Amino acid sequence: MNTELTGVVVTFLLTVFLAYPLAKYIAKVFAGERTFTDFMNPVERFIYRISGIDPKKGMNWKEYLTAMLMINMLWLFYAFFLLLNQSSLPLNPDGNPNMTPDLSFNTAISFLVNCNLQHYSGESGLTYFTQLFVITFLQFVSAATGIAAAVALFNGLKHKTTDNLGNFWDIFTKTITRILLPICIVIAVILAFNGSPASYDGKDSIVTLQGDTVGVSRGPAAGMIAIKHLGTNGGGWFGVNSAHPLENPNYLTNMVELIAQMLIPIAMLFALGFYIRRKKFAYMIFAVMTIGMLFLIVPTINWEMHGSPEIAKMGILQATGAMEGKEVRFGPAISGYWSIVTTIISTGSVNSMHDSSMPLSGMMQMLGMLINAFYGGVGVGILNYFIYIIIAVFIGGLMVGRTPEFMGHKVEAREVKIAALVTLLSAFLIKGGTALAAYYFVQHGDADWAVKPSAWLNNPGNHGFSEMFYEFTSANANNGSGFEGLGDNNIFWNVATGFVLLLGRFLPIIGPIAIIGLLAKKKYIPESSGTLKVDSATFGILTFAIIIIITALSYFPPLVLGPIAEYLGM
Amino acid sequence: MSKHKKNTKLFESSLVTSALKQSFIKLKPGVMLRNPVMFTVYIGTLIMLGVCIWIAAGETSQGSLAYNLTIFGVLFITVLFGNFAEAIAEARGKAQADSLRKTREDTPAKKVFLIGDNFVNEMKIVPSSLLAKGDIFLCEAGDTIPMDGEIISGIATIDESAITGESAPVIREAGGDKSSVTGGTKVLSDKIQVRVTTGPGESFLDKMIALVEGASRQKTPNEIALTILLASFTIIFLIVVVTLKPFADYANTPITIAAFVSLYVCLIPTTIGGLLSAIGIAGMDRALRANVITKSGKAVETAGDLDTLLLDKTGTITIGNRKATNFYPANGVTASTFTEACALSSIADQTPEGKSIIELAKLDVSKLNTNGASFIEFTAETRSSGIDLTNGTKIRKGAFDSIRNMVTKAGNSFPDETAEQVKVISSNGGTPLVVSENNKVLGVIELQDIIKPGIQERFERLRKMGVKTVMVTGDNPLTAKFIAEKAGVDDFIAEAKPEDKMNYIKQEQQGGKLVAMMGDGTNDAPALAQADVGVAMNSGTAAAKEAGNMVDLDNDPTKLIEIVEIGKQLLMTRGTLTTFSIANDVAKYFAIVPALFITSIPALQALNIMNLHSPESAILSAVIFNAIIIPMLIPLALKGVAYKPIGASALLRRNLLIYGLGGVIVPFIGIKLIDLVVALFI
C-alpha cells in the first residue's frame, strides 16, 4: 500500500489500540475502584477540603447541572477579565497588547466552551500569562466539564432506577488529576523532545538564507499543545495551529497529536460499555461512528490525493495531490485524514488550511461538524449521539409496536421534547447565523462598521458562502476550526459566534443530562423479546439513518449553495 | 377472531359523503389548530390565496396567475385530504358504533312501578329512551331487552347474537357473575326483572362514540410525544425555508413565494401529520370491530405494550369443562360391561362431564333399560351419583376416595390395578371417576381438560411478541402444572382465589411490567382496576365492567390476544408512517432545490436527477405528490400495518426496509410520473 495511506491506517489503528486499555482505566476511575493513580488521593482530598466539597454526596440532574453551570460562569468572567488586561500582567516578554472587549468576549467564551475558535493569532494576541492561565487552564477544565457531563449519563444508565448522577465536583476533579494530567505529561514530553518549544523566553530571531531577520515566537507551548489535542480543544499556541513547524514539527508529532485528539472520545465509548456492563451496546455505537467517519474520510483522502481539476486544466501535474494549503512534511493523505478527524471530533486544530481543500472535502468537514457525533468532542460526543439515540428509539420503538423505551425506561413526551429542542437548536443557530451574515453581506454591505460586511469575504460566490456557513457550523459544533479567508475579527463575528458558542455548548449538555435524569427516575421495565434491542446492528443502522436524514434534511440547501455548487461549477 | 365480522367496506359511499362534508367543516381554525403540522399547511394555503389576489391586482414578479392558483388549489386539497382522513376514520368508527346502538333504540320497555311490598307492582309500557338509571323493567320470552342492566330477579336464556354474533343462547340470572344483560339482546325463555344500570347516553357505547367523534377525544401520551417530534421537524423546515431567503439573495436568485410555500409544505411531515388522528381513531375502531368497546384511546395504546396476560384456564385455554376421554375397566370386567355401566350411571347426570361420558360410551341411550330406575343425585356428602335399576343393580360413580370408602365398607377390596390407574390419571392432569356396581369396582373413567385446538400456537405467537402468559385456575398445583405445560403457558396460578390474581398483578407491576387480565365477576373488579388493561366481559357484573377499561361484547377470553395485536398495530402504523413521511423528503429536495436555483446556478442541473421538465413542473409535481400520498395511505392508516411476531429486531428491519427505504424510493418514481403528466400542460 501507498506509504501515505499506510500512515493513516496505522495512526487510526494505534488510536483504537490505545483507547481500549484507557477505557478500562477510565471505567475504574469513575467506579471508584483501585487504580495505579491512587497516589493522587491526598491531592484530591486536599482540594475537596479547601473547597468544602463532600465528594460522596450524590446529586440529581438539576444539582449536577447547577454545579457545572455555576463554575463555568465563574471561569467565563475570570477569563474575560484577564484577557482584557493581559498587557499589564506578568509573563509578557513580547509586549503584546490587551484584547478588545468584543475579542476577549469571543475568546473567553470560545475556550470556555471547548471550541477554541480563534479570532486572534497566538503570537501577537496573547501573553504567556494568558496562554497559560486562561487558555491552557480553560482547555483543561472545559475538557473535564465535557467528560463529567458524559459520566453523569453513564451513572444514569448504570442503575435501574436512580436520581443520583454522581457528584460533579468529584468526577470533575478526578478527570483532571487522573486522566488529563497524566496523559498530557506524556504527550508534552514527546512534543518537547521533537522540537516544540517549552521556554519562557520571548521571540527568538534568526537570519534566513536570504539574509532577512525573522522574529520567531515561542513560549511554554508543548504542554498547551498536549491538552489542546487530548481535550479536543484545538486552539493553537501559534496562529496557524498545527501547521506551524514548532507546534507540529514532524510526522511523529503529527501522529501523536492525531492519536491524542481521538483517544479520549473513543475511550469514552468503550468506557461506557465497561462502566454500565453493556459492552455490546458500546461496540455498536463505536461501529456506527466508525462507519460514519469512514464515509467522510475515504472520499476526502481520495479527493485530496487526486488534486484539483482546475489546476489539472492548466496542464500542471499534481503527482503529490492537492498541495495548496498543505504542509509538505505531512502530505495530502494524512492532512485529509486530520481535516476530518478534527471536524468530527470537536477539536478544530488544523494541520492544513481547510479553505484550500477540494469543495467536497470542505463539505465533508462541514458534515463532520453538523453531525458532531461521530466520536465527537470529549464527553459531549456521546451526549450528542445520545440525542440521536432518543429520536431513533422513539421512531424505532413505534415501528416494533411498543411505546418507545430506552434501556428499560419509557421515552415519553418530555424526553422527546428536550431531544427535539436540542436538534432544533443546531439548525436554528447555524442557519440563522449564516442567514444573518448573508443578509448583512447582501443588504448592508456598506454599513458603516469597522470592517464593512462587503469586505468579510476573500472569495465571493459559492466559496464565500461556504466560509460563512463553515464559521457558524464550527461555532455551533464547538469545533473551532475555521474556513479561513473570512474576516472574522470584528464585532459582528465576535459577538454572533460568541452567542452561538455559548448556546451550542451548554444546551446540548443540559438537554441530554436532563433526559437521563428524567429517564433514570422512571420505573425500570425488564426487556422482553418484543423490546427494541438498542445494542443490535439493526438499531445501529436506524440510528445511522436518523443521523444522516436529519442532517441532510436540515442542511441540504446551504450545502447545495456552498460546496456542491462550487464543485459542480468546477 | 369473532365470527361476527362487520364487514363495512373501507370507503362506503355514505361514509365518504359525510366525511367529505366533515372535511370542510373541519376547516374551522379552532379545529385545525389541534393538529399543528396541518395547521401550518393551512396558513400556507391562505398565504397562497393572498399571493393569487396580489397577482390578480397586477403584481408581475411572482409568476403566472394560473400557476399560483394551481399551487393554491393543491395546497387546499392537501388540507382537505388531511381532514378527510380524520373524518373518514371518525365516520367509520361512528357507523360501527351506531350499528351496535341501533339495536337498542326505542324498544318498548315494560317499566315496573314499585308500589310497595303488599301490592302487585304496576307495569306500563314506555319507550326505552324514557328509562332512567335505577328504573326497573320486566322482560319475558320474546322481548328485546331495552337497556343495559342487571337482573335483580329471575333467570332467562338470552339470545345475544345481535351483539356478539354468537347464535347459541346464554343463561343470565340474578345474583352471581352472570347477571348483566345488554340492550338489544333478546329474551328467549323465562322472565326477568332488570334494573337499569346506565342512563341514556351514558352506556359504554355512547362513551366510545363520543371518543370517536372527537368531542371528548384526548390525545394519548404517545400521540402527544409524536406530535412534539413532528412539530419540531416542522420548525426545522420552517427554519430551512426562512433562511433560504437570505441565502438566495446572496446567490442572486429571486425565489417566488409560491416556491417557498411549496418547499415548506413538501418538507414538513404532512403525510403522518394528516393521518395521525385517523390512525388513533382507527385503532379504537378496529377494537370495536373485534367487538371490544374501549373506554379510552390510551387503553388501546397500552395494550401494545403488555408484558403479561392473566388468562383464566376454563374457556380460554381449555374448552369449557372436562371431558371423558378414556374408560379403564378393572381386571375381569369386559369393556362393554364397563362402558354400559358408565353410560347408565350418567344418564341422569346433566353436568357437562356426565354428558361427555355418554358421548364417549357411544351407546344408544334409549335402548338401555332404565324403566323404573331411580336416579341418585350427586351430593356433597356422598360425592358420588348413580342409578338404582329395577333389578336391584346399584351403579355408582364418584371420586376415588368416596367410592373406595363405599367399597371397603361393604367388605370388598379395591383392586390394585385400578388404584394404580387412578394415580396415573391424576399425574397426567386428569380427573379419575371410579365406577362401582353393587359395591364392586368396575373400573375408572378418565376425565381430561381439553386444550383448545390452536392455543399453543397463539401462546407461541405471544411469546415472540414478548408477552408472558399466565394461566389462572382453581385446580390443584399438580393438575395446573400439567395443563400449563401442555398448553405452553409461561406460568400459572393454581388454586387461585380472587386476591391471588390481584397479588400477582401487583407483583408483576412492581417489576415494571404491564399486565392485562380478563374478568367478569364482582370479585374480579379490584384486579380489573389494578391491571393496566382490564377487559370485562359484557356478561359480567356492572362492577366488573365499571372497573375495567375495555368491555368485550363476545365474552371471549382469548380476545386479549387480539387486543394486544391491535395495540401493537396502532403504534406500528404511527412509527412506519412517520418514517415514510420523513424519508419522502429526500426526493422532494432533489425535485425542488435544483428547480429553485437552476436559473442562477446552471451547474445545479446535475442535481436534477429525476430529469424533471421545468422548475415549475418540478415544484408542482412535488406538491401534488405530497397531496395525493395522503389519501393513498388512508387505507393503510385505517387498517393498520400488519403485525408479525418475528421478534423486535426482525420487525424493525422489515419496517425500515419497507417504509424507510421504500419511503426514499417511492417519491422519486411518483414525482417523475406526475411530472410527465404535468409537463403536458405547462
Side-chain angles (χ1 to χ4, degrees), chain B residues 220 371 447 533 602 623 665:
Chain B
T220 60
N371 286 342
L447 295 180
V533 172
V623 185
I665 296 167

Side-chain angles (χ1 to χ4, degrees), chain B residues 273-288:
Chain B
L275 294 172
L276 189 54
S277 56
I279 295 170
I281 301 164
M284 287 191 276
D285 180 43
R286 279 200 300 279
L288 193 54

Side-chain angles (χ1 to χ4, degrees), chain B residues 102-255:
Chain B
K102 209 165 274 161
T103 54
R104 59 183 68 185
E105 259 170 14
D106 288 329
T107 331
K110 295 172 180 165
K111 186 174 172 184
V112 177
F113 296 88
L114 295 172
I115 308 290
D117 294 338
N118 304 329
F119 298 91
V120 178
N121 292 335
E122 195 182 321
M123 195 192 74
K124 225 164 121 184
I125 294 184
V126 299
S128 62
S129 50
L130 290 182
L131 286 176
K133 194 171 171 176
D135 282 354
I136 292 168
F137 59 83
L138 189 76
C139 279
E140 289 163 301
D143 287 351
T144 300
I145 297 174
M147 272 289 212
D148 290 2
E150 200 160 3
I151 303 176
I152 50 173
S153 72
I155 176 168
T157 48
I158 293 175
D159 173 13
E160 291 194 336
S161 61
I163 300 289
T164 64
E166 185 69 62
S167 52
V170 293
I171 294 176
R172 297 280 178 261
E173 62 182 316
D177 292 344
K178 301 217 180 290
S179 61
S180 249
V181 290
T182 314
T185 56
K186 211 165 177 184
V187 177
L188 294 180
S189 71
D190 305 290
K191 189 161 112 179
I192 44 173
Q193 278 203 14
V194 180
R195 181 187 291 117
V196 178
T197 47
T198 50
E202 280 175 25
S203 72
F204 296 126
L205 257 177
D206 291 314
K207 281 183 202 158
M208 175 142 180
I209 291 170
L211 272 179
V212 167
E213 275 176 339
S216 62
R217 189 169 70 233
Q218 299 271 319
K219 280 190 178 151
T220 60
N222 177 263
E223 208 175 338
I224 292 172
L226 184 56
T227 307
I228 290 171
L229 189 70
L230 296 178
S232 79
F233 275 117
T234 307
I235 298 172
I236 288 182
F237 294 124
L238 188 65
I239 297 171
V240 167
V241 173
V242 170
T243 55
L244 197 59
K245 169 72 178 142
F247 294 174
D249 288 344
Y250 177 89
N252 259 325
T253 312
I255 294 180

